[in-house]
Amino acid sequence: MDKRIEMEETGLSDSEIAFINTHKHENASQLILRAGQFKGLDIKKLAAQIISRQKAAKKLPEWYANEKLIFPPALSVEQCSSEATARFKASLVSGKTLVDITGGMGVDCFYMSRKFGNAHYFEMQETVAATAEYNFQQLGAANIKVHAADSLAALEAENIPADWIYADPARRNEQREKVVLLSDCTPDIVSNQEILFENTPNILLKTSPLLDIDLAARELQNLKEVYTIGYEQECKELLFVLDKNHNSAEFTIKVRILDDQGYPLKSLDFDREMERNAKVTYSAPASYLYEPHAAVLKAGAFKTSCERYALNKIAANSQLYTSESLVADFPGRSFKITAICKPDMREISKHIGGDKANLTTRNFPAKTEELRKKWKLKEGGDYYLFATTLSDNTRVVIVTTKAAT
């Protein structure tokens, strides 16, 4: 039988909810210092809820709006999927039964469960599982069954037929080290693929964007697709789709840059063979400059970006592209070039009319902050500077403004 904590111990009282609503925009540390003013309330507990809710306001708007939900510590909120990326994952799956073998806060399970008749959520930490069960109830997700248990042991002991299994394995240690292998994560999906495939034909695996895609591809069986997920200006996560019936060693890489609702704003599909064979042309900066989104760079679509959008690279290693006419659907940022000058502040200031601009360095022998300090350049404004190296090894600053798309 699954272990449970009584829901009465998990939920918030009406007075606690009222306190959180009254003070949800305040500094939680200041509330703790004033704890003596609030009789009969555990202010440390409520301050922690306020901090977590403040973290969740933009990331998880639907959860934030539900005043009855219990939030985990702020770090867990920072590390969980956003509502946008969770909604996108839900668009990839459907069927009768979902099994989430890594539980956690339950954001992904909640949104994906809407595409299934029923869902099984597994989490080994009892308190985490109990909180997730309580939250699912408040959110009306009656089709999710919570198991405070070891998912792999449960799947091995008794078959749970599922249309999809979802996994978001955690790093084994708490050090912020680069994840090189999937076997560095817990649970070890690589060693347990056979068990998983005995229960489902489809696996959706989420990992950190730090993971090396090609190393992971060599470890995984039946890899069909890899998604690099972009949200705002970051590559937020990688998704690996494993299909038991996909027996080819080839897989498709899919870049998806999402809006706040999880719908793709920009997309790019390719594979490694396409990237190897893509034709690249070079030229000096023309009328427009393009900076690929971080998700495009993570996917490794360096040559493909050139060929697919009929662009020229300004240099082999700069990963900046240019064209004479504006390409509206490029998966990244687009800029109108206004000037090209020497990397000297006296020259730069002539083109930006002062000492304020946004600065990026690409293939340049100095870091952004070093140049800002050297040039006494303030951040912000309408101008975007790219300190880079051209194909003839000339170091320049490309002065741009955002292109109207």
Side-chain angles (χ1 to χ4, degrees):
M1 178 180 290
D2 297 333
K3 297 179 180 178
R4 295 285 197 275
I5 289 181
E6 291 298 322
M7 290 302 106
E8 290 79 8
E9 297 177 11
T10 305
L12 294 168
S13 67
D14 290 342
S15 59
E16 288 175 326
I17 291 172
F19 180 89
I20 291 171
N21 284 333
T22 300
H23 301 281
K24 61 185 177 182
H25 300 302
E26 296 181 30
N27 185 307
S29 298
Q30 293 299 316
L31 290 174
I32 293 173
L33 291 176
R34 294 161 45 207
Q37 300 176 19
F38 310 109
K39 304 300 182 183
L41 293 173
D42 183 343
I43 300 304
K44 285 188 176 181
K45 168 189 170 183
L46 300 181
Q49 285 297 304
I50 289 170
I51 293 170
S52 292
R53 280 185 166 270
Q54 289 171 349
K55 297 283 186 184
K58 185 176 184 301
K59 188 174 187 179
L60 299 167
E62 184 176 1
W63 287 46
Y64 175 80
N66 192 316
E67 62 184 21
K68 293 185 177 181
L69 299 191
I70 303 292
F71 281 82
L75 181 60
S76 296
V77 177
E78 289 178 5
Q79 293 176 342
C80 78
S81 292
S82 66
E83 183 175 321
T85 59
R87 286 181 182 275
F88 176 74
K89 283 191 279 287
S91 74
L92 302 179
V93 298
S94 64
K96 181 181 177 182
T97 303
L98 167 73
V99 175
D100 180 346
I101 66 171
T102 50
M105 187 173 171
V107 174
D108 285 324
C109 187
F110 170 67
Y111 286 101
M112 286 191 290
S113 72
R114 292 174 168 179
K115 303 292 288 291
F116 294 86
N118 61 85
H120 294 269
Y121 160 107
F122 282 89
E123 169 58 54
M124 292 182 68
Q125 298 182 66
E126 294 176 37
T127 54
V128 175
T131 300
E133 184 168 38
Y134 171 80
N135 286 341
F136 292 152
Q137 290 174 358
Q138 305 311 310
L139 290 163
N143 65 326
I144 302 177
K145 182 177 181 181
V146 172
H147 306 263
D150 183 323
S151 58
L152 292 176
L155 290 175
E156 192 170 19
E158 56 175 309
N159 189 271
I160 304 177
D163 297 282
W164 283 87
I165 286 178
Y166 173 68
D168 178 9
R171 300 176 188 181
R172 277 188 174 159
N173 57 49
E174 297 181 356
Q175 306 301 317
R176 300 185 68 85
E177 297 176 345
K178 181 178 179 181
V179 174
V180 178
L181 300 172
L182 278 173
S183 53
D184 293 332
C185 301
T186 301
D188 182 353
I189 301 300
V190 176
S191 299
N192 290 285
Q193 283 181 97
E194 187 175 339
I195 294 172
L196 299 179
F197 274 137
E198 286 176 0
N199 290 267
T200 186
N202 303 296
I203 300 168
L204 180 62
L205 170 63
K206 170 192 167 184
T207 76
S208 159
L210 295 176
L211 191 74
D212 185 295
I213 292 173
D214 293 305
L215 277 178
R218 288 195 285 270
E219 290 185 282
L220 292 167
Q221 302 169 26
N222 309 94
L223 177 60
K224 183 179 180 181
E225 298 167 333
V226 178
Y227 288 84
T228 63
I229 303 302
Y231 181 55
E232 296 178 333
Q233 296 306 312
E234 298 179 55
C235 181
K236 289 294 187 181
E237 58 194 43
L238 303 180
L239 301 175
F240 295 82
V241 178
L242 310 182
D243 181 342
K244 189 175 183 178
N245 298 315
H246 181 77
N247 298 314
S248 170
E250 300 300 320
F251 58 93
T252 304
I253 302 174
K254 299 187 174 184
V255 179
R256 296 293 183 270
I257 301 170
L258 310 180
D259 66 11
D260 289 342
Q261 296 300 309
Y263 295 110
L265 291 168
K266 301 285 178 67
S267 300
L268 174 62
D269 295 1
F270 70 107
D271 58 37
R272 289 297 186 235
E273 184 177 2
M274 290 179 187
E275 174 66 14
R276 285 191 296 270
N277 296 331
K279 295 179 180 179
V280 180
T281 53
Y282 298 89
S283 77
S287 296
Y288 293 93
L289 189 75
Y290 305 88
E291 180 188 33
H293 192 282
V296 175
L297 296 175
K298 179 61 187 181
F302 308 124
K303 297 164 65 178
T304 299
S305 294
C306 238
E307 185 175 81
R308 191 71 55 87
Y309 300 100
L311 302 174
N312 297 321
K313 293 190 78 173
I314 66 168
N317 298 315
S318 295
Q319 311 311 344
L320 292 171
Y321 304 80
T322 190
S323 69
E324 196 59 54
S325 300
L326 178 62
V327 176
D329 60 344
F330 181 78
R333 298 197 296 173
S334 306
F335 301 90
K336 181 77 174 72
I337 296 175
T338 61
I340 301 170
C341 62
K342 295 178 180 179
D344 179 270
M345 192 58 199
R346 286 173 296 182
E347 293 293 320
I348 295 168
S349 61
K350 295 177 184 177
H351 301 287
I352 66 174
D355 60 354
K356 186 176 184 179
N358 305 279
L359 177 64
T360 298
T361 56
R362 283 286 173 84
N363 191 26
F364 195 85
K367 295 181 180 179
T368 301
E369 290 308 313
E370 293 173 354
L371 291 181
R372 279 199 176 281
K373 186 176 180 180
K374 178 182 177 181
W375 294 341
K376 297 180 180 178
L377 184 67
K378 298 174 184 176
E379 186 172 1
D382 296 329
Y383 286 96
Y384 294 78
L385 309 178
F386 290 85
T388 189
T389 304
L390 302 181
S391 57
D392 63 359
N393 292 321
T394 303
R395 292 169 186 165
V396 299
V397 171
I398 305 174
V399 184
T400 74
T401 55
K402 278 195 172 179
T405 56

